[in-house]
Amino acid sequence: RLQPDARSKALANWIKNFLRSGKQWNHRRVVVFTEYEDTLSWLERILPGLIGGDCTDRIARYTGRQSDTTREQLKAAFNSAPASNPLRVLLCTDAAREGINLQAHCADLFHFDLPWNPSRIEQRNGRIDRVLQPSPKVRCHYFVIPARPEDKVLTYVVRKLGVIREELGS
C-alpha cells in the first residue's frame, strides 16, 4: 500500500515531462483531484520520490480539513506568478471542486480518482476551465486502465459527459 501504482507513476512521469526541464521547474502548474483524503496523503508521500529532487515547496495539499486562512493562502500561492512562488502541484480533495478559481497559471488538471456523479467531474474541471483562463487550451486528464472493471464505469461516465456537453452546448 505504500508502493506506487501505474497511475501514480504515470502522473509523476507527466510532471517530470511537462513541469520540469531536466532538474529545472518551468512555469506550468497542475491540479490533481482525489476522491479520498487517504489517496491524497498517499500521493503527497510518494510523489517526491517518483519525481526526484527536492519537491518540498513544489507540492501542496488542499482539503476541507484545513482552515479557511490556509486554503486562501494556498489559492493565492497557486494563482501567483510562477516566478514568485515555487508551488507547481496542488493536490486537492473535492473541497476544491466549487468556489475556487485556479486558472491564473494552470491549464492542466488530473482526476486521480473519479466521482460517480458526472456533474462533480465538470465542477472539478471548472476550476481551471473558466472564462478568464489565459491559456487557449485546457487539458483535463483521466486515467484509463482497460483491464480494470472500474474503467468500464469510467468509459460510461466520460461518454455521459460528452452527451451532456453536446446537449447543453458547453
Side-chain angles (χ1 to χ4, degrees):
R1 73 175 190 188
L2 299 177
Q3 298 301 310
D5 65 357
R7 292 178 302 160
S8 61
K9 289 177 184 176
L11 176 61
N13 283 334
W14 186 92
I15 290 169
K16 288 193 288 190
N17 290 325
F18 290 98
L19 297 187
R20 288 177 35 179
S21 302
K23 294 188 178 203
Q24 292 286 11
W25 290 79
N26 62 32
H27 291 313
R28 276 177 93 168
R29 289 189 168 142
V30 66
V31 175
V32 180
F33 272 99
T34 67
E35 185 75 4
Y36 306 103
E37 197 164 336
D38 287 344
T39 306
L40 185 143
S41 296
W42 173 74
L43 273 176
E44 185 179 37
R45 194 169 42 253
I46 66 165
L47 270 179
L50 292 171
I51 295 169
D54 184 16
C55 301
T56 53
D57 56 352
R58 303 289 181 179
I59 301 171
R61 63 188 292 142
Y62 186 104
T63 72
R65 292 182 186 218
Q66 295 167 314
S67 70
D68 290 342
T69 303
T70 299
R71 286 185 295 195
E72 283 301 316
Q73 290 169 343
L74 281 169
K75 183 173 78 171
F78 196 74
N79 283 323
S80 66
S84 68
N85 194 297
L87 179 59
R88 295 295 183 270
V89 180
L90 189 61
L91 303 174
C92 302
T93 61
D94 274 347
R97 85 168 189 262
E98 290 181 333
I100 176 174
N101 299 333
L102 299 171
Q103 80 277 5
H105 299 282
C106 179
D108 291 287
L109 182 144
F110 275 86
H111 296 277
F112 198 81
D113 300 322
L114 283 174
W116 290 99
N117 186 333
S119 67
R120 288 177 58 199
I121 296 170
E122 285 298 312
Q123 286 173 325
R124 288 174 172 187
N125 292 346
R127 298 315 90 217
I128 64 167
D129 190 7
R130 307 185 71 72
V131 172
L132 297 176
Q133 170 59 257
S135 176
K137 189 172 188 178
V138 172
R139 293 160 296 276
C140 297
H141 307 274
Y142 310 87
F143 292 97
V144 177
I145 303 169
R148 290 186 333 171
E150 298 93 320
D151 288 308
K152 290 179 183 175
V153 174
L154 170 63
T155 302
Y156 172 76
V157 169
V158 170
R159 196 172 327 137
K160 188 172 179 179
L161 281 171
V163 169
I164 291 169
R165 191 172 289 122
E166 248 180 64
E167 290 178 1
L168 296 179
S170 167

